[in-house]
Amino acid sequence: MTEPVRQFLEGKRAETVRRLLDATVEELEERGFGSLTVRSVAERAEVSRATAYSYFSSKEHLVTAVFWKRVQSLPPSGEDRTGKPGADVAQVVDTIARMLASEPALVRASTTALLADQQEVKRLRDEIGQEVYRRLTDAVGEADPSALEAVMTAFVGSLVLAGSGYLPMEKMASHLADITDRVLPPADR
């Protein structure tokens, strides 16, 4: 059984995981998701394949772990709320979109990797979803739960569109602000 990345690793183990995640990003940028393997990442990180597999069960697991680390490194949300759900959602999404725009290869790979039917990927996908949901909930405020679900669904759809090249990353925030303004009734604004 692989060791979950979310556990607090210290010392050499933490350094090994960091090297593997950094190597994953480098491999994605140079070779793309289709050519990425745990083996190629291990070689680039200068660790044994056995060591790499002791932390990550697949390339999908590696990419999802990188994505989760990026989400965890986002600045705290909720500090500069306007009280207008569309604008506040745009601010949350803009923070995420700016992070993703700097790594288009990661976005393309995540579009596939996050959908993998693997225990480790599902666990990380749930954690990513919970964090994004928390951020969007803070932005939307006291809206009807079905409106919040619609905003979350639009966010996920926007990620897929951006990862597939159909929505420029820099337009994702305004796209979701427009949807939020349409979904939330005027009384919630």
Side-chain angles (χ1 to χ4, degrees):
M1 177 178 235
T2 61
E3 181 176 309
V5 173
R6 74 177 174 169
Q7 289 182 354
F8 293 104
L9 300 176
E10 296 178 345
K12 186 177 179 182
R13 293 171 54 174
E15 175 61 19
T16 300
V17 168
R18 186 198 58 76
R19 287 178 27 218
L20 288 165
L21 295 179
D22 289 349
T24 299
V25 173
E26 292 168 10
E27 285 285 301
L28 286 172
E29 290 172 357
E30 288 182 22
R31 302 175 69 196
F33 184 69
S35 298
L36 180 101
T37 65
V38 176
R39 179 182 185 163
S40 67
V41 168
E43 288 172 7
R44 183 179 289 265
E46 298 179 347
V47 302
S48 73
R49 282 185 294 179
T51 298
Y53 275 110
S54 72
Y55 293 104
F56 301 101
S57 61
S58 67
K59 70 181 189 176
E60 292 83 5
H61 187 196
L62 276 164
V63 170
T64 303
V66 170
F67 193 89
W68 174 226
K69 286 297 245 186
R70 297 302 193 263
V71 170
Q72 286 178 308
S73 69
L74 291 171
S77 64
E79 295 175 356
D80 298 323
R81 293 286 176 253
T82 66
K84 298 177 183 174
D88 291 342
V89 165
Q91 184 179 19
V92 167
V93 172
D94 185 58
T95 299
I96 296 169
R98 278 186 281 118
M99 177 267 298
L100 295 175
S102 66
E103 297 183 278
L106 176 61
V107 174
R108 286 188 299 276
S110 295
T111 300
T112 302
L114 286 165
L115 299 176
D117 188 26
Q118 301 167 12
Q119 179 182 353
E120 298 89 351
V121 172
K122 286 179 181 180
R123 182 184 55 76
L124 290 172
R125 183 176 59 226
D126 287 346
E127 293 202 27
I128 292 164
Q130 288 170 10
E131 178 59 18
V132 170
Y133 190 82
R134 183 192 64 74
R135 287 171 178 264
L136 289 174
T137 299
D138 289 349
V140 169
E142 299 292 324
D144 179 331
S146 63
L148 179 58
E149 291 298 324
V151 170
M152 185 67 175
T153 301
F155 174 78
V156 172
S158 295
L159 279 178
V160 171
L161 289 172
S164 302
Y166 293 108
L167 175 67
M169 191 62 67
E170 61 274 7
K171 292 188 178 184
M172 202 165 102
S174 63
H175 175 74
L176 283 174
D178 290 345
I179 291 170
T180 301
D181 286 340
R182 288 186 194 127
V183 168
L184 294 176
D188 289 343
R189 292 186 188 158

